Amino acid sequence: MTAVFDTLSDPLPRRLAAGLSRLSVALRAGQWRLAEARGLSPTQAQALAVIAARSGPGRPAPRLSEIAAQLAITRATASDAVSTLERKGLVMRQPDPRDGRAAGLALTEEGRTAAQDAGDWPAMLLDTAADLSPAEQEALLRLVVKMIRGLQVRGAIAPARLCVTCRYFRPYAHEDASAPHHCAYVDAPFGDRHLRLDCPEQDPLPDAEAGAVWTRFATGASGAMSTL
Amino acid sequence: MTAVFDTLSDPLPRRLAAGLSRLSVALRAGQWRLAEARGLSPTQAQALAVIAARSGPGRPAPRLSEIAAQLAITRATASDAVSTLERKGLVMRQPDPRDGRAAGLALTEEGRTAAQDAGDWPAMLLDTAADLSPAEQEALLRLVVKMIRGLQVRGAIAPARLCVTCRYFRPYAHEDASAPHHCAYVDAPFGDRHLRLDCPEQDPLPDAEAGAVWTRFATGASGAMSTL
DNA sequence: AGATAATATGTAGGAGTCCTAACTAGTCAA
DNA sequence: TTGACTAGTTAGGACTCCTACATATTATCT
């Protein structure tokens, strides 16, 4: 094949890591720029977003440890960030009725408003993603999901609420190439482009069963990749 | 098609941003963990890597501003990081013969050693990438390159030394689907899986000409995507 | 019941990150 | 030579992120 470049280049996984790292640099920088406008630092904004995503009627209030795990920071750092959010009047700590040690985190009215902006990504990133063709966006989402799951399995990040590790996920249950999967929770078919990264309804499969479902998803042929 | 999820879900670019952000969290955390072992903070390690990548015999010594631009931080922050590296004996500042204001940055012997480790990514990330099939790795690299170029065009990140913006790049110059492109510098064919993100030989095309080359690359059909 | 271990969180201290603003010194062009 | 840039540094402040260590509460084991 192409002996020259195959031996000359860095291994592909290494370049992938470098590429993702570059994107990560751009993301961080964008978050700092947004931070100023909103009076929130990147970590604070992320913490706010996690709290918002995990709050809801009839759902237990998220805890500090949960924030720390999701952001892959220590509890001490998370405590700092939450204290600052509290000082800014966006978050309230409430004693947890079921565990006197724990502090349940809830958004204030202001916090709810701020959290909506906090989910805003730098426009440049959204525009760049939107410039990809729909098929490319779908392929990228699928690949990103695979990377996230891989990191999760290796313990590098906290469990994300992914479709592909959910009790209600049925990979390749339908013939329709544009929506081959099935969500048994809403009982509807869907495709790779609908895969979620943080679904509130997600109910994680135990490890024993997760492997088989994952394999079916990961190896399943998808006919919609031809136009890349 | 799948009306339910199409209207129910966050827009795809938004979820892509969220997904990349999660990967970015994992990356940062991994860098902090590595940092400890090496006595270098993430920024210092990145700065060291940039200096190493841009140093070389017969090449002008990289400047501080270049580091700042590549890492998307201010010159002040870069100055801090480089000062620390200097204090640790890994980097030397040398007066630039052609510009008395500028300080050329060079690695010490120790710095050269340290820079090799600094290019090491968290093993978990490399392993996860390596778990993807070769076709998937190639597809992801291509998509990451597209994202980087998009962010670069929008001014969100400093110019990367990409094949796709290089004077010597000839997209789809060959029939061979596994190596359709051609590098006129080494005069050899190569494929998407060989795309580089920081090639020392890269010579950027002027904007006027870059658009046409890019379009040919971006829209070119690739036959190797069927097994995703 | 009482002692012990484990858990959830908070505090303190220190190095590092990252910014803006102000400053020095060198370059370049009119 | 003067004025406008440009490269880099410094100072100050908010925030990030860590490792200890301290505190309260819950779980567990005799």
Side-chain angles (χ1 to χ4, degrees), chain B residues 102-148:
Chain B
L105 303 175
L107 297 178
T108 63
E109 203 47 59
E110 272 186 88
R112 240 182 302 282
T113 313
Q116 289 174 346
D117 307 354
D120 267 354
W121 301 99
M124 287 177 170
L125 183 63
L126 293 177
D127 292 349
T128 299
D131 267 0
L132 297 175
S133 74
E136 284 176 323
Q137 292 180 40
E138 181 166 33
L140 182 53
L141 181 63
R142 185 184 166 94
L143 289 166
V144 165
V145 165
K146 286 197 171 188
M147 291 293 295
I148 291 176

Side-chain angles (χ1 to χ4, degrees), chain A residues 26-36 38 42 46 121-122, chain B residues 21:
Chain A
L27 242 158
R28 265 266 131 170
Q31 284 175 324
W32 271 107
R33 238 168 283 134
L34 278 187
E36 212 171 67
R38 297 190 298 226
Q46 284 179 297
W121 301 99
Chain B
S21 171

